Amino acid sequence: MRERSPFTRRETDMTQPGMVAKVCLVTGTSSGIGHATALELLHAGHFVYGAARRAGRMAALRDAGGRPLPVDVTKEEDLKRAVDTVLDEHGRIDVLVNNAGAVVHGAVEDTPLAMARDLFEVNVFAAARLAQLVLPPMRQQGSGTIVNVSSIGGELAFPLGAWYYASKHALEAFSDSLRMETAQFGVHVVVIQPGIIKTDFEAGTARQLREISGNGAYRQMAEAMAGAAETPAGHQSDQATDPAVVGATIREAVESDRPETRYAVGWQAEALLQLNRSLPDREFDARITGSLS
């Protein structure tokens, strides 16, 4: 017997005139940008499936009317089960938000390649596999939106984070190709480039820097970055943008008939991107590394 959709009651309660509710799958919804995005979409009247490893941290999503799904994005069976659940319960999928992400801090010379491969599994290959899984129903529908949450680090890079920045550069190039391939089927592909956002994503920065590069040739740079990360100014607690702002931007893209291909959002996002685009490479390098001396 087919399972009854948990959204049936909400479906009949929607009263906003002219609003078309979309069926959304959002990854990394246990905290930060993913959590804020899921709630934003729910409050706008959409149907939201939230995927995360830490299912116990999705009570707020459930209370808001969403459908939490325990998912490890590095496991094929979890990804397939998540997409199948959405299709079984709704018969369609309109939006995929690839938000789940990981970060590694350390010099290239010091960082084990196993860590780099694990990072790419989360930041690139999981997003790619989910895109593969949702595209057949989206093509059949003749519509859909795939939102890939990148970073300003998808265009620029800082020292001691090469693998993270490489993964975001890869995600952006992947998105560009995917956008051109799928436009003919009515599927939009959108890149979100958050700046400095108030989340716990970088909470382990100082520890990682010291563990990976704190005792070798790059220890002076690693300690400078670790020390900066531990200061109140390093956390950017006053200036950092609330993740709800990013969630609202994602909702704007999801609800648009013709979304932008990229949205830079959050504190310092536009400023740093423009600085990187306008300065010669060596001058940009000098400004960044000079701040660490």
Side-chain angles (χ1 to χ4, degrees):
M1 181 176 178
R2 182 172 169 173
E3 184 179 352
R4 183 173 180 266
S5 169
F7 297 108
T8 301
R9 179 183 60 79
R10 291 184 69 248
E11 210 162 353
T12 61
D13 286 347
M14 290 172 38
T15 57
Q16 295 185 37
M19 187 183 73
V20 177
K22 297 188 177 186
V23 180
C24 311
L25 173 61
V26 184
T27 67
T29 51
S30 61
S31 63
I33 291 172
H35 181 73
T37 299
L39 293 180
E40 178 75 22
L41 292 170
L42 279 166
H43 294 157
H46 301 292
F47 307 119
V48 178
Y49 291 78
R53 284 189 305 171
R54 297 175 292 182
R57 295 185 61 178
M58 291 192 284
L61 173 66
R62 183 183 293 106
D63 292 344
R67 175 83 146 86
L69 299 174
V71 171
D72 181 338
V73 297
T74 66
K75 294 183 177 178
E76 169 73 10
E77 60 271 25
D78 282 13
L79 299 181
K80 285 182 61 65
R81 184 173 63 249
V83 173
D84 287 346
T85 297
V86 177
L87 294 174
D88 287 347
E89 294 180 355
H90 273 279
R92 64 183 293 117
I93 183 165
D94 301 303
V95 175
L96 167 65
V97 180
N98 280 313
N99 168 74
V103 66
V104 171
H105 293 283
V108 171
E109 188 176 342
D110 298 330
T111 304
L113 287 182
M115 294 181 71
R117 292 189 179 100
D118 288 346
L119 183 74
F120 267 71
E121 284 293 337
V122 175
N123 290 0
V124 181
F125 294 114
R129 182 57 182 141
L130 279 171
Q132 289 180 330
L133 291 170
V134 304
L135 276 170
M138 284 184 175
R139 283 192 294 102
Q140 188 174 22
Q141 296 161 195
S143 65
T145 302
I146 296 174
V147 178
N148 291 327
V149 179
S150 178
S151 162
I152 55 173
E155 285 193 37
L156 51 79
F158 301 119
L160 305 186
W163 292 113
Y164 173 75
Y165 299 117
S167 73
K168 291 303 185 179
H169 277 63
L171 182 64
E172 296 218 10
F174 170 84
S175 300
D176 289 338
S177 289
L178 185 65
R179 182 182 68 250
M180 290 183 277
E181 292 171 4
T182 60
Q184 62 185 311
F185 304 113
V187 176
H188 301 292
V189 178
V190 174
V191 170
I192 304 294
Q193 298 175 307
I196 300 173
I197 310 299
K198 193 179 300 183
T199 72
D200 293 331
F201 188 66
E202 297 277 358
T205 296
R207 175 187 55 77
Q208 275 191 342
L209 285 166
R210 290 181 176 125
E211 287 179 356
I212 296 174
S213 293
N215 297 305
Y218 304 90
R219 59 186 177 276
Q220 183 175 349
M221 180 179 281
E223 185 54 42
M225 288 186 68
E230 290 174 328
T231 66
H235 290 302
Q236 307 293 354
S237 56
D238 292 333
Q239 300 99 327
T241 298
D242 192 285
V245 176
V246 186
T249 301
I250 293 174
R251 177 179 62 79
E252 176 188 340
V254 164
E255 293 179 344
S256 174
D257 292 332
R258 186 178 170 80
E260 301 291 331
T261 59
R262 278 174 171 77
Y263 293 81
V265 56
W267 189 61
Q268 293 281 34
E270 287 286 359
L272 285 171
L273 288 171
Q274 288 303 320
L275 188 68
N276 181 62
R277 292 164 184 165
S278 61
L279 289 181
D281 289 344
R282 295 191 191 283
E283 186 174 343
F284 183 84
D285 294 353
R287 291 198 183 194
I288 298 304
T289 56
S291 68
L292 300 175
S293 59

